[in-house]
Amino acid sequence: MHQKLVSCFLIFNLCFTSWIFAQNSNKENSPYSRYGLGEERYGFNAALKAMGGLSIAYSNPFAINTNNPASYSAIKLTTYEIGVEARKRAIASNMESYSTGTLTLSHLTLAFPVGKHGGFVMGMSPKTATYYRFIDSVTIPGVGNSNKTINGDGGLSYAFMGGAYQYKNLSLGANLGYEFGTIRHSSYLANYDTFKVYSSDFTRTYQIGGLHLKLGAQYNWKINKQYTLHLGATYEASQKLHYTEEQYASSFRYSGSSAIRDTVYALKNSDLPIQLPSSLGLGFQLISNDKLGFGVDYTNSNFNQYKFNGQLDTNVIGNASRLSVGAYYTPDANDVYHYAQRITYRVGLYSGKEPLRINNTDITYAAFTFGASLPFKKSTDRIQTAVEIGSRGTKSNNLLKENFVRFSISMSLNDRWFVKRKYD
């Protein structure tokens, strides 16, 4: 145990100190991330992603499901997880196409049982990511040829603690955490025909933070000796974050190899509100002797409640929904002689509608997923893998379509903590 404990803290130390750098170095160009608080990220382990994100009714004694905090009561051993995600996408319009991608941390979590019926989890995961960059050549009368660049970067992370308690077949849990991050939007007009014309830079930066609460429930019903039905629900009420906004505009021109810059104006506003949408998720899983499982999840978020500094966003509106279908199969978890029999194979699908309406067009997405949980020899420790292949958006109405591939890998390590030793 001591060796595993030391390794755990060393890995967590390394990952935590590099967390902010890793999230802010996201260079995956995602045009739709310029709206709202950015593109939503799912910071749970690869086993769940391999099943299309199926997680609302899912629980595992040796892995952590942060999407429904009620699942923490199922934890039987101290469990720590670390995950990374590699993403590649091809973005196409009716005129051109290009590819982009990145590699980032996906989650850090630590869980341990509390008594016989409780569980506690702490961790950190990304919530949203923003990175986009557009460059357009324009000709301005009296000025000449110029490049107009619109870009942005940043995102939000979520540091949280959660707990759950099980009474008979019902488990209730909650996550309470702090969402934080910085998002920057910038518009840049540069002239290269003459050094006599000033270029301009307009930038807005938002420093965001606030508490966020998520509730969860799970109920297990033993149908007969073979089948068990798991039901789950999650709920997030409409909650508030706060942000500090900094705006500035500057003009500059090049003189030789240096730039002469003049700030036209600067403005700072503090403690402004962001109203987040409420969200409800429902799911079920039918499990056959812990060998075969199948389930469905549905989540709906009411973005008609979303407001930025008290104002509605005409591009971020309506309901966001997601439907996930997934299954897993383990041939024989107790076969110590044939490794392939102990591998858990997973497959899934998901589709949904984002809370974006651009050029009178809804933005939808869909993906096929698969992966496997690879056990260590004679151990509950596992390496989880997942692949997601899908598309997002459309080329209609002058919009963009994204075809993406995401590969996730996470490690679940188990140990016994807080056990009183007995001596003969």
Side-chain angles (χ1 to χ4, degrees), residues 98-411:
Y98 62 93
S99 297
T100 181
T102 191
L103 173 69
T104 60
L105 294 169
S106 64
H107 66 283
L108 306 171
T109 49
L110 170 65
F112 52 85
V114 179
K116 294 182 179 181
H117 305 290
F120 178 82
V121 171
M122 59 190 300
M124 180 178 287
S125 64
K127 288 290 286 185
T128 68
T130 297
Y131 186 83
Y132 61 91
R133 184 176 178 86
F134 307 95
I135 301 177
D136 190 20
S137 297
V138 295
T139 301
I140 303 175
V143 175
N145 296 323
S146 302
N147 279 352
K148 183 178 182 180
T149 302
I150 300 175
N151 60 24
D153 56 64
L156 300 182
S157 295
Y158 184 50
F160 66 93
M161 294 187 296
Y165 184 81
Q166 182 175 346
Y167 177 72
K168 294 184 178 181
N169 294 332
L170 177 65
S171 178
L172 301 175
N175 280 340
L176 178 62
Y178 188 75
E179 288 190 30
F180 63 96
T182 300
I183 299 175
R184 181 189 64 86
H185 300 284
S186 181
S187 177
Y188 178 83
L189 182 65
N191 178 272
Y192 300 106
D193 279 356
T194 174
F195 291 139
K196 297 180 181 180
V197 177
Y198 279 80
S199 299
S200 58
D201 182 6
F202 301 90
T203 297
R204 290 188 178 188
T205 301
Y206 305 104
Q207 294 179 327
I208 302 170
L211 295 175
H212 192 86
L213 175 67
K214 184 173 187 176
L215 305 176
Q218 290 186 339
Y219 182 82
N220 300 334
W221 175 35
K222 186 74 174 178
I223 300 175
N224 53 39
K225 291 183 178 180
Q226 182 177 358
Y227 294 103
T228 303
L229 180 64
H230 291 203
L231 303 175
T234 59
Y235 179 69
E236 299 170 82
S238 179
Q239 300 169 71
K240 279 188 179 181
L241 304 178
H242 291 85
Y243 70 95
T244 296
E245 176 187 20
E246 294 184 4
Q247 300 182 32
Y248 72 84
S250 62
S251 62
F252 60 93
R253 64 182 175 86
Y254 291 97
S255 178
S257 59
S258 61
I260 302 173
R261 180 179 291 269
D262 180 36
T263 300
V264 178
Y265 77 86
L267 179 66
K268 183 175 181 178
N269 294 309
S270 300
D271 200 28
L272 303 175
I274 301 174
Q275 189 74 38
L276 298 179
S278 60
S279 179
L280 175 66
L282 299 172
F284 78 87
Q285 280 192 303
L286 184 64
I287 297 175
S288 174
N289 293 334
D290 293 327
K291 182 175 182 178
L292 176 66
F294 167 82
V296 177
D297 283 358
Y298 179 77
T299 304
N300 185 278
S301 302
N302 182 12
F303 273 83
N304 290 317
Q305 299 170 333
Y306 175 79
K307 294 181 180 180
F308 201 86
N309 194 21
Q311 302 296 316
L312 294 173
D313 189 328
T314 56
N315 293 122
V316 183
I317 195 168
N319 287 343
S321 61
R322 177 180 170 118
L323 177 68
S324 299
V325 179
Y328 68 87
Y329 174 66
T330 308
D332 188 351
N334 299 314
D335 190 341
V336 296
Y337 300 105
H338 303 91
Y339 181 80
Q341 296 292 305
R342 293 190 290 121
I343 296 175
T344 299
Y345 304 91
R346 306 178 189 272
V347 66
L349 299 166
Y350 66 81
S351 65
K353 183 180 80 70
E354 299 197 11
L356 299 180
R357 188 164 182 81
I358 305 169
N359 296 344
N360 292 318
T361 305
D362 292 329
I363 305 301
T364 60
Y365 60 88
F368 168 70
T369 66
F370 61 92
S373 296
L374 309 174
F376 287 62
K377 186 177 181 180
K378 297 181 181 180
S379 172
T380 57
D381 299 345
R382 286 178 176 259
I383 293 177
Q384 322 275 11
T385 64
V387 178
E388 305 170 61
I389 303 172
S391 63
R392 178 190 188 207
T394 176
K395 291 190 284 186
S396 302
N397 297 330
N398 296 317
L399 297 177
L400 299 172
K401 183 175 183 179
E402 303 176 356
N403 294 313
F404 60 83
V405 177
R406 299 170 184 152
F407 177 74
S408 301
I409 183 169
S410 59
M411 181 180 295

Side-chain angles (χ1 to χ4, degrees), residues 31-48:
Y32 293 122
S33 70
R34 68 183 293 192
Y35 301 103
L37 298 178
E39 180 180 2
E40 186 174 6
R41 296 280 305 280
Y42 297 93
F44 39 72
N45 70 35
L48 304 177

